[in-house]
Amino acid sequence: MIDLNEYLRKNPYPGRGILLGRSADNRKAVIAYFIMGRSENSRNRVFEETADGIRTRAFDESKMTDPSLIIYHPVRLLENGLLVVTNGDQTDTIRDNVAQGHCYRHALNTREFEPDGPNYTPRISGVVKPDGGYNLSILKSLDGDPSCCCRYFFEYDRPKAGTGHFIHTYQENRDPLPSFEGEPRRAAVTAPDAKTLANELWANLNEENKVSLFVRYVDLATKQQETVILNKHG
């Protein structure tokens, strides 16, 4: 079990990260997603709430140079109650496949890592079920070799109170950026509400590289949501 705040504080560039888990009182599903950036194009973004989740958009449209891998819907709540959170347009791939009667695995077997060599950024995805169980996955190159896509799926049917699992795109801040290694990190979830967790995570993300953060707590009995969005710009 890691202390996620300490883990983030020691890593200046984990890239994009997903935390899924259960609150300490065992009543709420916990979802967090953040983005970071090293280039001006990546940093020129904000999260904006939509009817079914959030989307990224350019903070300054005049400075946007290539929207292909940075403008997407990270979070969507589907009609069947599944909440999908990803670091790219595979959010919509999962949504479309679920609408056709398939599962998230089927959807992600049609996708690969991002075509941004030499980093080949992994595609990380999470799915939260109405009962609070959740899945995480990562699609990544084989040690930076784009000729092979490795797909890993991790499924947690009965999450423990006060526990979550955290996955992110980059193992450490190097050039080229190495992909995340191993299983999602098991992390303690002690914050009683979305605002507290958001403030903790935001304070421990690298000041220079952090861009935006989304946190949501969902009451599993009533389905009431508490959502917090923090943007460096605006």
Side-chain angles (χ1 to χ4, degrees):
M1 185 94 74
I2 65 167
D3 179 327
L4 186 54
N5 292 321
E6 181 182 8
Y7 184 88
L8 293 174
R9 188 163 56 247
K10 291 181 176 179
N11 189 341
Y13 196 60
R16 288 165 270 176
I18 298 172
L19 171 70
L20 302 180
R22 185 70 61 86
S23 61
D25 63 9
N26 208 30
R27 293 173 49 202
K28 298 172 183 176
V30 176
I31 303 100
Y33 175 65
F34 64 78
I35 59 175
M36 307 182 80
R38 298 194 302 180
S39 69
E40 182 180 30
N41 198 44
S42 292
R43 291 175 175 178
N44 180 36
R45 290 183 290 173
V46 294
F47 283 167
E48 183 175 77
E49 196 160 11
T50 65
D52 64 350
I54 59 171
R55 67 174 183 177
T56 62
R57 68 168 178 82
F59 175 68
D60 185 341
E61 294 285 353
S62 68
K63 294 181 179 179
M64 177 63 65
T65 56
D66 180 9
S68 60
L69 294 175
I70 63 173
I71 300 300
Y72 55 94
H73 287 77
V75 177
R76 286 192 186 275
L77 180 62
L78 309 189
E79 291 183 0
N80 64 356
L82 292 179
L83 186 143
V84 180
V85 51
T86 87
N87 72 325
D89 62 10
Q90 72 267 28
T91 308
D92 293 348
T93 304
I94 296 173
R95 176 200 59 184
D96 296 344
N97 274 260
V98 168
Q100 296 167 11
H102 302 300
C103 68
Y104 86 106
R105 281 186 179 224
H106 183 278
L108 292 174
N109 277 325
T110 70
R111 303 301 302 270
E112 292 190 349
F113 45 83
E114 295 182 357
D116 62 340
N119 297 319
Y120 301 109
T121 298
R123 292 189 185 273
I124 55 174
S125 306
V127 175
V128 182
K129 305 170 189 176
D131 66 359
Y134 54 85
N135 307 325
L136 285 166
S137 72
I138 183 168
L139 316 180
K140 62 180 184 176
S141 66
L142 180 62
D143 295 328
D145 180 354
S147 67
C148 180
C149 179
C150 306
R151 297 181 176 90
Y152 300 91
F153 300 91
F154 308 91
E155 304 186 351
Y156 308 91
D157 289 339
R158 290 177 291 277
K160 295 182 65 176
T163 300
H165 290 87
F166 174 64
I167 196 167
H168 54 97
T169 52
Y170 305 127
Q171 185 71 12
E172 55 185 310
N173 189 23
R174 297 206 320 257
D175 286 307
L177 289 159
S179 297
F180 176 88
E181 298 175 358
E183 293 186 19
R185 312 296 187 241
R186 190 160 61 99
V189 179
T190 59
D193 51 53
K195 183 177 180 180
T196 302
L197 179 60
N199 288 338
E200 289 177 354
L201 296 178
W202 192 250
N204 287 285
L205 289 169
N206 181 268
E207 182 64 30
E208 183 178 3
N209 295 323
K210 66 184 179 184
V211 175
S212 296
L213 169 68
F214 165 91
V215 175
R216 175 172 289 174
Y217 276 42
V218 181
D219 189 297
L220 295 171
T222 67
K223 303 306 177 185
Q224 285 189 313
Q225 303 175 359
E226 179 193 5
T227 300
V228 176
I229 295 173
L230 298 176
N231 292 304
K232 191 170 185 178
H233 299 300

